[in-house]
């Protein structure tokens, strides 16, 4: 009787090699069977014709169902021990057991190991089933669930397992989970042949340096450092077998099998006090020890005593979040395990994430991920924020949060042009690049405006108190007296009570034009100055500071900032001591009109 896993391989007529994991049949060793049966392409179900379907056959079929294995060949052995009539009875018995399972179409081959009959047909059947298996996905995140660890004289530590989700090469640094031991791949073998690298789906022996055999055991997982984090809470939808002897109760202690690992866990049922045989529901498994699993991995749930397979499911979430509200939790989990790749990616975009991060969360390989991202962007269900993507709904949440913060700031400081960008950024907690992209989109959509370094709602106009309006009307009279030789901001504050904050607000309203920090003009004055300069330039081609001063009756002190202003707005530029026009005169005149009419002329 086989107690533990056995390993072998077979060369098909095509020349392809098939790795074989032999698992024990007896019910007492189901846990070993579970460690071996995980990442297989197909199953060779062996039933002896003289005995027919046994209880363990049914349990094995149930487990294969939970694990999603849907390709099989049935070997009906010991054909030499039974007559034709018995053989056909037993065959019907097996067919009945397979009915309604994903393996119902599996070819059944009668063989005799002693008489050596049917063996060629068996291998041919295996080959015909295996050619239909899809290629193994390569997520660039290799994982090898250890099924054996031993020491080999002359080599050192060796672990074996079935490699999934990526490749390992000689020289790679690896990490062993859950205890985070580091090691290096010193050698690789598949089917006893040394290789430079091993690809997904193959049976692999890794010769590891830097780690001792006694630190390793079945159930651990070899990964690329940092690519997977062991979790102590995992969530998934548990399907209870119709044949289970009893319901699963909330908080019940169960054994969870995933990969080659098994660990005790408490079941936290999210949709009711019990899960009855044949039913399914969302659950969180609170694990007694950390487990290295990825989203999309299958797990099997068993009752420890008396031992019985209860059911299992697919890992939907490994974020480790304890879900507080049950109904919310169910909604989240449903989204994360959605049937289409695009909706799984979308569920991972509940906050801005790089496509790589979101893809890993949703258990997608890079090509699935890229196609899904394109689909989501094209249909408008997701948007880009710098290096990240975010679901349209989540984008709305961020946008609303920004609008609320701005509204609050405007209420608190009605005079201010807006709220400082940094203050708003902290309200959404985004890195600068993503925040800028978000602001850019909101500005583009006409929802908010940028006023210098401040952000504001489009509707926000700084409002003045009656006292401030009175101060402003006195100051305006003073500014109008000699418009091109107006009082300085310092004078406006000391003599008219118009402080710098009020100046900023007035500039915001378009009542004032601020140039730099030390010059303030009425918009009309700026327009008059600009017109005079543009006309002179149209006539003579150049203008000096002195000429501009004489022409406008201003002073050097005021002409310097005014000419600088025209340079900054793209009307003129310096050429030695002169200014020249950089755009045609008519266009320059038009631009002057818009400059002083606009609400946000000041900087
Ligand atoms: N006569 C006859 N005996 C067979 C045949 N196949 C296997 N046996 C014998 O049946 C016994 C059990 O065979 P195993 O290969 O150990 O069966 P198994 O399915 O691996 O059993 P477990 O590992 O316990 O699950 C052995 O003594 C074999 O020699 C066959 O086709 N004809
Ligand atoms: Mg055996």
């Amino acid at each position: 009787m086989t107690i533990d896993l056995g390993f072998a391989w077979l060369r098909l007529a095509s020349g392809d090699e098939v790795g074989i994991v032999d698992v024990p049949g007896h019910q007492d060793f189901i846990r070993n069977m579970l460690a071996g049966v995980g990442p297989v392409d197909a199953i060779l179900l062996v039933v002896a014709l003289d005995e027919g379907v046994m209880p363990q056959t049914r349990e094995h079929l149930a487990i294969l169902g939970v694990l999603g294995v849907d390709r099989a060949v049935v070997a009906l052995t010991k054909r030499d021990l039974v007559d034709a009539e018995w053989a056909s009875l037993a065959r019907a018995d097996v067919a009945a057991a397979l009915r309604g399972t994903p393996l119902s179409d599996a070819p059944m081959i009668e063989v005799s190991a002693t008489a050596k009959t049917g063996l060629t047909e068996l291998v041919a059947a295996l080959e015909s089933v295996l050619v239909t298996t899809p290629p193994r996905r390569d997520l660039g995140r290799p994982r090898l669930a250890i099924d054996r660890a031993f020491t080999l004289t002359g080599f050192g530590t060796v672990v074996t397992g079935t490699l999934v989700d990526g490749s390992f090469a000689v020289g790679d640094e690896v990490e062993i989970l859950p205890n985070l031991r580091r090691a290096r791949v010193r050698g690789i073998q598949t089917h006893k042949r040394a290789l430079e690298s091993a690809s997904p789906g193959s049976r692999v022996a890794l010769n590891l340096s830097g780690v001792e055999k006694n630190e390793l055991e079945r159930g651990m997982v070899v990964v690329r450092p940092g690519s997977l984090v062991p979790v102590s809470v995992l969530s998934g939808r548990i399907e209870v077998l119709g044949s289970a002897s009893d319901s699963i109760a909330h908080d019940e202690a169960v054994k969870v099998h995933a990969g080659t690992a098994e660990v005790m866990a408490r079941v936290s049922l999210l949709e009711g006090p019990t899960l009855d045989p044949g039913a399914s529901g969302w659950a969180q498994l609170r694990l007694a020890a950390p487990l290295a699993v990825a989203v999309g991995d299958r797990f099997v749930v068993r009752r420890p005593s008396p031992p019985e397979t209860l059911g299992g499911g697919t890992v939907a979430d490994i974020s480790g979040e304890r879900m507080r509200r049950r109904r919310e939790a169910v909604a989240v989990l449903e989204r994360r395990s959605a049937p289409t790749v695009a909706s799984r990616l979308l569920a991972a975009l509940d906050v801005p994430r790089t496509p790589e991060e979101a893809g890993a969360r949703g258990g997608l390989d890079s090509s699935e991920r890229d196609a899904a991202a394109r689909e989501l962007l094209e249909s408008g269900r997701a948007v880009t924020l710098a290096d990240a993507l975010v679901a349209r709904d989540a984008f709305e949440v961020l946008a609303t949060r920004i609008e609320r913060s701005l509204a609050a700031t405007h209420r608190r400081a009605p005079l201010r042009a807006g709220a400082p960008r940094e203050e708003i950024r902290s309200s959404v907690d985004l890195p600068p690049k993503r925040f800028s992209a978000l602001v850019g989109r909101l500005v583009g959509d006409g929802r908010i405006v940028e006023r210098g370094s401040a952000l504001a709602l489009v509707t926000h106009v700084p409002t003045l108190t009656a006292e401030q309006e009175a101060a402003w009307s006195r100051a305006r009279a003073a500014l109008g007296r000699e418009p091109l030789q107006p009082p300085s901001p310092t004078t406006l504050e000391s003599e008219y009570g118009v402080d710098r904050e009020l100046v900023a607000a007035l500039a915001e309203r378009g009542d004032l034009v601020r140039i730099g920090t030390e010059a303030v003009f009425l918009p009309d004055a700026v327009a008059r100055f600009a017109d005079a300069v543009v006309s002179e330039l149209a006539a003579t081609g150049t203008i000096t500071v002195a000429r501009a001063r004489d022409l406008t009756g201003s002073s050097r002190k005021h002409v310097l900032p005014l000419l600088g202003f025209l340079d900054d707005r793209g009307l003129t530029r310096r050429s030695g001591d002169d200014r020249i026009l950089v755009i045609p005169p008519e266009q320059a005149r038009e631009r002057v009109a818009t400059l002083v009419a606009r609400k946000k002329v000041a900087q």
Side-chain angles (χ1 to χ4, degrees):
M1 189 169 68
T2 310
I3 291 174
D4 207 344
L5 303 176
F7 303 92
W9 72 94
L10 175 76
R11 190 180 289 276
L12 299 172
S14 65
D16 287 346
E17 281 182 359
V18 184
I20 297 173
V21 182
D22 175 41
V23 303
H26 197 279
Q27 267 181 310
D28 288 353
F29 306 107
I30 293 258
R31 46 188 295 245
N32 291 340
M33 178 266 183
L34 277 163
V37 83
V40 296
D41 288 318
I43 283 288
L44 179 61
L45 179 71
V46 181
V47 181
L49 282 168
D50 61 340
E51 287 179 302
V53 173
M54 303 285 281
Q56 64 264 32
T57 313
R58 297 187 194 283
E59 186 159 9
H60 284 185
L61 285 172
I63 288 171
L64 295 174
V66 171
L67 294 175
V69 178
D70 54 5
R71 286 185 177 75
V73 173
V74 181
L76 301 167
T77 61
K78 304 197 185 174
R79 179 64 181 83
D80 56 294
L81 296 185
V82 299
D83 60 23
E85 194 188 344
W86 186 272
S88 80
L89 281 175
R91 194 185 180 101
D93 191 24
V94 176
L98 293 177
R99 203 162 296 139
T101 77
L103 306 183
S104 58
D105 290 335
M108 291 198 263
I109 314 294
E110 294 175 13
V111 298
S112 168
T114 48
K116 306 258 184 271
T117 55
L119 298 174
T120 317
E121 291 87 339
L122 183 65
V123 175
L126 209 51
E127 184 157 15
S128 68
V129 164
L130 287 172
V131 292
T132 68
T133 57
R136 291 300 186 122
R137 51 186 204 166
D138 189 339
L139 305 182
R141 280 188 288 138
R143 297 191 281 155
L144 183 106
I146 298 177
D147 47 42
R148 278 178 306 171
F150 50 89
T151 314
L152 213 57
T153 328
F155 285 95
T157 312
V158 176
V159 296
T160 67
T162 307
L163 182 61
V164 297
D165 289 355
S167 302
F168 279 131
V170 173
D172 280 355
E173 191 182 14
V174 293
E175 189 170 52
I176 296 134
L177 304 178
N179 49 2
L180 306 171
R181 285 282 318 188
R182 290 290 177 99
R184 195 168 287 281
V185 179
R186 195 204 242 158
I188 298 179
Q189 285 195 359
T190 288
H191 307 152
K192 301 229 160 110
R193 247 194 347 265
L195 300 171
E196 273 308 301
S197 71
S199 49
S202 48
R203 285 290 311 168
V204 171
L206 295 179
N207 179 199
L208 298 177
S209 62
V211 64
E212 297 297 318
K213 188 226 160 252
N214 58 17
E215 298 172 275
L216 302 170
E217 59 186 29
R218 175 177 293 173
M220 293 180 173
V221 182
V222 185
V223 298
R224 197 163 279 163
S227 64
L228 191 66
V229 178
V231 290
S232 52
V233 180
L234 66 86
S235 311
R237 197 175 170 83
I238 295 183
E239 276 186 50
V240 186
L241 296 173
S243 57
S245 65
D246 202 353
S247 316
I248 298 180
H250 180 66
D251 212 32
E252 183 169 339
V254 296
K255 257 221 171 106
V256 175
H257 297 258
T260 57
E262 60 172 274
V263 56
M264 287 298 295
R266 293 257 173 205
V267 187
S268 176
L269 294 177
L270 297 172
E271 293 184 281
T274 60
L275 262 185
D276 297 334
S280 67
W282 289 103
Q284 288 205 305
L285 294 167
R286 303 194 303 274
L287 309 168
L291 206 55
V293 289
V295 168
D297 285 0
R298 304 275 182 146
F299 61 87
V300 171
V301 172
R302 300 194 84 220
R303 176 169 291 142
S305 90
E308 179 188 353
T309 301
L310 294 172
T314 304
V315 176
D317 182 70
I318 50 168
S319 64
E321 297 156 23
R322 292 270 183 127
M323 311 233 176
R324 263 182 311 138
R325 293 243 298 288
R326 290 188 174 192
R327 194 168 308 161
E328 243 168 51
V330 169
V332 168
L333 292 171
E334 228 133 55
R335 283 202 304 277
R336 288 196 186 153
S337 58
T340 70
V341 171
S343 38
R344 283 219 298 285
L345 186 67
L346 192 64
L349 296 174
D350 51 343
V351 296
R353 290 199 170 92
T354 61
E356 292 73 25
E357 284 163 356
R361 243 178 127 83
L364 310 178
D365 70 33
S366 54
S367 66
E368 285 177 322
R369 177 196 69 209
D370 293 345
R374 266 196 307 279
E375 185 185 331
L376 292 175
L377 289 171
E378 275 163 20
S379 65
R381 283 183 291 163
V383 294
T384 332
L385 289 184
D387 62 329
L389 297 177
V390 64
R392 166 60 67 179
D393 293 351
F395 172 86
E396 257 327 297
V397 169
L398 293 171
T400 311
R401 212 178 293 159
I402 288 186
E403 288 172 331
R404 290 225 181 97
S405 309
L406 289 177
T409 308
H410 297 334
R411 261 198 315 280
R412 250 193 347 264
L415 195 56
R416 262 165 57 188
R421 287 177 75 96
E422 272 309 298
E423 194 179 301
I424 299 301
R425 184 166 82 83
S426 70
S427 75
V428 285
D429 197 22
L430 286 179
K433 270 205 206 113
R434 293 182 189 173
F435 178 69
S436 293
L438 175 60
V439 166
R441 277 187 177 271
L442 295 177
V443 170
D445 292 347
R447 296 172 69 164
I448 67 172
V449 287
E450 285 183 282
R451 290 180 175 155
S453 65
L455 297 176
L457 289 175
V458 184
T459 49
H460 173 67
V461 180
T463 45
L464 276 51
T465 62
E467 212 175 301
Q468 287 167 329
E469 289 289 2
W472 163 232
S473 91
R474 286 194 302 276
R476 189 175 40 211
L479 286 164
R481 230 164 274 144
E482 268 195 83
L484 285 173
Q485 293 200 47
S488 70
T490 316
T491 313
L492 287 181
E493 177 161 9
S494 59
E495 310 219 339
Y496 303 93
V498 174
D499 62 13
R500 283 170 194 267
E501 197 181 15
L502 187 48
V503 164
L506 290 162
E508 206 54 62
R509 289 207 311 199
D511 285 332
L512 275 182
V513 178
R514 246 185 332 167
I515 302 178
T517 53
E518 285 314 313
V520 177
F521 300 89
L522 292 175
D524 274 357
V526 178
R528 208 141 42 85
F529 176 83
D531 270 338
V533 169
V534 170
S535 300
E536 174 73 3
L537 285 171
T540 67
T542 63
I543 193 170
T544 60
V545 172
R547 177 80 183 122
R549 179 196 60 202
D550 299 343
L551 209 61
T552 59
S554 183
S555 70
R556 186 179 164 78
K557 177 177 148 203
H558 291 105
V559 166
L560 288 174
L562 283 164
L563 284 173
F565 178 76
L566 299 183
D567 291 346
D568 288 347
R569 303 297 139 141
L571 277 78
T572 53
R573 76 176 161 75
R574 290 179 75 143
S575 167
D577 285 342
D578 293 351
R579 287 285 192 312
I580 56 173
L581 267 181
V582 295
I583 52 177
E586 320 78 66
Q587 208 181 320
R589 283 204 186 84
E590 269 167 40
R591 197 173 293 182
V592 171
T594 58
L595 280 183
V596 292
R598 267 169 66 191
K599 283 286 173 204
K600 45 176 286 201
V601 275
Q603 32 192 344

